Amino acid sequence: MGALRQNYRDALVEIMDHVLSGEPEVLDAARDALAAALGAGRLIYVGGSGHSHMLAEELFYRAGGIAAVQPILEPDLMLHEGARRSTEVEREAGRAERSLSRFAIEPGDVLIVVSNSGRNAYPVELAEAGRKRGMTVIALTSLRHAERVESRHASGLLLRDVADIVLDNGGVYGDAILPVGPEGVHMGPTSTIIGCFILNALVAEAVEMMMAAGKRVDIYASANIEDNGAPADNVAERWGDRIAGL
């Protein structure tokens, strides 16, 4: 039974290696966009629906993460308010525009839109609304999945078609990569793990660029390290007026 663990690990590592070697220039472009936003004092917005919203939470207010992240968390699009309902809502037109209208977005901000398929109205319209506001839009999606589906948006476009920079998470069609049992049921999704890897790596590289240029970037330390609660509190206090949810 333990072989499945090893197979899953091997599949994840293979995808990570593919991501790093496949299109390094795209990764560099995303890193540079993040660094430019941080250097200009701008914010990095992250949004998605269903399980994709977890990447917005991954970058927000966490140990080892930057303070300049604004998650776009819509309860109707998250699983805790009704999992099946979230699947319906992400297909509704107009939702993304209302999502972004809550924020004081400025040109030069970055918007990361996460959607494995990129076919539903919400991610497509979120990217379009961001670009309309002068944001640099980075899509995180599965190009292999996108190649096999049609858009559910009235425009016929997928997320990959409306972003400035498209990051491929390297996932397979259907996301689940691990054959289980004699009937070939597939489990072991990869989009969340690989997405977290990509985004955390690129943010770290962007911060390193800022440090090399002598610029300060606020980074959260764990509030659960001995005698280390105050620094995290101080960072949050500095950003409380700019970041909704702090």
Side-chain angles (χ1 to χ4, degrees):
M1 298 294 285
L4 283 177
R5 305 171 202 160
Q6 185 66 41
N7 292 344
Y8 193 24
R9 176 264 181 200
D10 292 346
L12 290 168
V13 172
E14 183 178 347
I15 292 174
M16 288 182 182
D17 289 343
H18 169 75
V19 166
L20 293 179
S21 63
E23 292 186 294
E25 67 279 2
V26 177
L27 297 173
D28 290 348
R31 175 205 61 201
D32 293 347
L34 296 172
L38 293 175
R42 303 268 55 85
L43 297 182
I44 297 168
Y45 291 75
V46 191
S49 61
H51 283 87
S52 294
H53 93 270
M54 291 192 293
L55 273 73
E57 292 187 310
E58 170 66 19
L59 293 189
F60 176 57
Y61 189 63
R62 67 156 303 138
I66 58 174
V69 170
Q70 176 62 69
I72 304 170
L73 301 177
E74 293 285 349
D76 285 347
L77 290 161
M78 298 162 70
L79 304 179
H80 69 288
E81 294 287 344
R84 288 176 294 176
R85 170 64 177 155
S86 71
T87 298
E88 297 172 1
V89 172
E90 69 182 357
R91 301 177 186 181
E92 294 178 0
R95 174 78 57 163
E97 179 63 37
R98 295 194 296 274
S99 293
L100 279 191
S101 67
R102 298 187 290 114
F103 302 105
I105 292 168
E106 299 184 25
D109 289 338
V110 168
L111 172 60
I112 301 172
V113 182
V114 185
S115 174
N116 194 60
S117 70
R119 70 185 305 204
N120 291 306
Y122 184 76
V124 171
E125 292 186 357
L126 192 62
E128 291 178 330
R131 293 185 71 182
K132 183 175 68 175
R133 289 165 168 78
M135 307 175 85
T136 299
V137 176
I138 300 173
L140 178 56
T141 190
S142 167
L143 294 182
R144 280 196 280 182
H145 191 115
E147 288 170 357
R148 295 181 58 177
V149 298
E150 294 183 358
S151 173
R152 289 193 175 110
H153 189 248
S155 68
L157 298 174
L158 299 166
L159 173 60
R160 67 179 185 184
D161 301 320
V162 293
D164 298 300
I165 301 168
V166 179
L167 297 173
D168 181 14
N169 67 25
V172 298
Y173 176 67
D175 200 8
I177 201 169
L178 188 65
V180 176
E183 296 181 4
V185 173
H186 280 74
M187 302 178 69
T190 65
S191 59
T192 303
I193 296 173
I194 301 300
C196 289
F197 162 68
I198 293 171
L199 295 185
N200 278 310
L202 293 180
V203 169
E205 288 187 348
V207 170
E208 186 174 58
M209 290 178 66
M210 292 299 94
M211 290 179 173
K215 296 184 178 181
R216 172 180 172 176
V217 180
D218 273 334
I219 308 293
Y220 286 113
S222 173
N224 297 304
I225 296 176
E226 191 76 19
D227 299 324
N228 202 35
D233 292 341
N234 291 341
V235 170
E237 184 176 345
R238 284 196 293 274
W239 288 85
D241 291 339
R242 296 189 64 190
I243 304 291
L246 279 180

